[in-house]
Amino acid sequence: MTGAVHKTLEVGLGDRSYPIHVGPGILGDATLIPADLAGRDVLIVTNATVAPLYLDRLAGALSGHRVESLVLPDGEQFKTLTSFTAIIDRLADLGYHRDAVVMALGGGVIGDLAGFAAACYQRGIAFVQLPTTLLAQVDAAVGGKTAVNHAAGKNLIGAFYQPRGVIADTDTLDTLPVREYRAGLAEVVKYGAGLDAAFFAWLEDHRDALSERRTPVLVEAVIRCCSIKAAIVAEDEREAGCRALLNLGHTFAHAIETGTGYGRWLHGEAVAAGMVMAADLSVRLGSLSEAEAARLRSLLESFGLPLSPPAMGGDAMLELMGMDKKVSGGRLHLVLFDGLGASLVRADVPITELKAVLAASDPA
Ligand code: NAD
Ligand code: GLY
């Protein structure tokens, strides 16, 4: 669908505030690019999967700009300093100056990579996020976390660096493989389950339309997620406090992703199983009812997402969780439910209760 009305909201960060536009067919709408970037040199960074689908449409809309592109190989394994250097080399070879603009066209891998390169080139040039996965539209493209991976850990090298704008064309999600789409839905559920009870209930009511990627419902879901995230980022840009709540289920998820080898479980799939584990733990600790946990499982199940971790062993998971970034001051900080639609960080979870939940990962 093209030309339908899109929705816009703002991430309020003072003079670094920026708009998020969400709607069908807006990838080719150059009027959504911040006015002060008009006419500037552009480097579009994308990958080999997304380029044949959407690069021409974006480049064609940028009349009045010098437009160059860099097509990187596709995959999390390329979210490296080598790819980062390739972007920097390209910007330098083109002779681009401080007023150049990097446009990230793709999923979270491209957004994180291109954003980090923009943060570093000539000490920071403008960049615009054009996310094409559901996960990137509701999460990765918003909030300014940019990074590349290192052998010692995921996202180990990076910077907080906000984009100048986010343009999320929901039509691009039509070409997303179903598994990737569902993985994005896990993050959508996270916003409702952990931060907004009314949104969770709305998701329950619209589960079929969402599974079928119906445009108006998709636009509404993306805008509501972005607005929840925008409010949190505006309050806690550098994760000194409430931004940690966006990590509901993620400590378990990172253990699953690391333990199974990156790529076997998609991040969103691991987040789904991780949220169920966080819910089980919350029920044990009395901050979530069994009925609420059942509602969470039902919604995730209707999106075809996993409800339990792989059989990697509870002890192995515990060890991997101890290595997660959310360990601070030697204590494991876990985001748990505070009723469905709210969450809190706890650093006092009894190890026996945690082990009981991790036993779900013990081989049968
Ligand atoms: P991804 O970028 O690897 O994209 C998933 C797959 O979909 C890729 O194969 C990609 O080429 C393909 N693809 C993208 N758009 C498509 C489209 N419209 N049609 C068809 N195929 C398409 O993965 P992702 O899930 O978007 O992002 C995961 C990455 O995001 C991770 O590196 C993660 O660390 C990062 N992340 C960052 C933040 C943040 O706040 N910065 C938040 C969450 C995740
Ligand atoms: N994806 C979590 C955050 O942006 O903080």
Side-chain angles (χ1 to χ4, degrees):
M1 193 197 299
T2 308
V5 178
H6 73 273
K7 298 189 178 187
T8 301
L9 62 90
E10 187 175 79
V11 183
L13 287 167
D15 60 4
R16 292 176 298 118
S17 297
Y18 55 93
I20 301 171
H21 304 284
V22 180
I26 60 175
L27 187 64
D29 185 349
T31 65
L32 301 181
I33 292 163
D36 65 308
L37 304 184
R40 297 212 205 166
D41 292 345
V42 169
L43 177 67
I44 301 172
V45 178
T46 187
N47 74 22
T49 303
V50 176
L53 296 168
Y54 302 113
L55 179 55
D56 284 352
R57 196 179 311 169
L58 176 60
L62 297 170
S63 58
H65 295 260
R66 175 183 177 194
V67 181
E68 304 286 348
S69 59
L70 176 62
V71 179
L72 295 168
D74 183 4
E76 180 76 30
Q77 68 273 32
F78 298 105
K79 196 173 131 179
T80 56
L81 279 175
T82 305
S83 298
F84 164 87
T85 305
I87 303 172
I88 300 290
D89 286 350
R90 190 64 191 275
L91 288 162
D93 289 348
L94 290 166
Y96 275 14
H97 298 293
R98 289 204 67 195
D99 62 354
V101 183
V102 170
M103 295 198 178
L105 176 67
V109 167
I110 287 295
D112 279 14
L113 252 173
F116 185 47
C120 296
Y121 187 67
Q122 304 215 6
R123 300 194 184 89
I125 62 173
F127 91 107
V128 176
Q129 290 271 21
L130 298 121
T132 61
T133 65
L134 181 57
L135 185 137
Q137 294 191 354
V138 299
D139 188 1
V142 175
K145 283 187 180 175
T146 72
V148 297
N149 300 329
H150 182 274
K154 195 164 146 61
N155 296 329
L156 211 62
I157 310 161
F160 285 95
Y161 192 67
Q162 300 294 339
R164 294 292 315 283
V166 180
I167 300 171
D169 183 341
T170 49
D171 278 354
T172 61
L173 304 182
D174 289 347
T175 52
L176 202 58
V178 67
R179 209 176 146 201
E180 296 287 352
Y181 181 73
R182 287 175 174 165
L185 284 175
E187 295 285 359
V188 172
V189 171
K190 176 197 76 178
Y191 286 104
L195 293 152
D196 187 334
F199 183 46
F200 189 88
W202 183 89
L203 290 171
E204 291 179 309
D205 289 345
H206 295 85
R207 61 180 91 194
D208 293 340
L210 268 174
S211 293
E212 291 160 17
R213 310 187 199 191
R214 281 192 227 150
T215 297
V217 174
L218 201 43
V219 173
E220 179 68 15
V222 174
I223 204 89
R224 284 178 83 160
C225 294
C226 287
S227 105
I228 295 168
K229 183 157 185 184
I232 286 181
V233 169
E235 190 179 329
D236 179 25
E237 184 182 6
R238 288 177 173 257
E239 202 167 314
C242 67
R243 188 162 179 167
L245 299 181
L246 294 172
N247 295 325
L248 178 66
H250 282 56
T251 304
F252 297 103
H254 288 155
I256 294 171
E257 289 177 274
T258 312
T260 51
Y262 284 112
R264 280 176 199 242
W265 277 58
L266 296 180
H267 177 65
E269 294 168 340
V271 167
M275 280 193 288
V276 173
M277 297 180 92
D280 288 350
L281 190 50
S282 304
V283 169
R284 287 178 163 274
L285 299 176
S287 63
L288 190 75
S289 69
E290 179 46 53
E292 289 173 313
R295 281 174 66 193
L296 174 69
R297 287 194 298 269
S298 162
L299 186 57
L300 293 170
E301 190 170 29
S302 60
F303 290 147
L305 287 159
L307 303 181
S308 47
M312 52 191 275
D315 288 345
M317 263 193 105
L318 186 65
E319 196 186 327
L320 289 165
M321 287 171 74
M323 290 162 62
D324 186 85
K325 284 199 294 289
K326 276 159 280 300
V327 175
S328 97
R331 307 186 75 176
L332 186 61
H333 286 62
L334 280 175
V335 185
L336 295 182
F337 288 91
D338 190 13
L340 195 58
S343 45
L344 78 178
V345 178
R346 282 191 62 168
D348 60 348
V349 174
I351 190 76
T352 46
E353 299 295 346
L354 179 56
K355 281 186 172 175
V357 167
L358 294 178
S361 171
D362 286 339

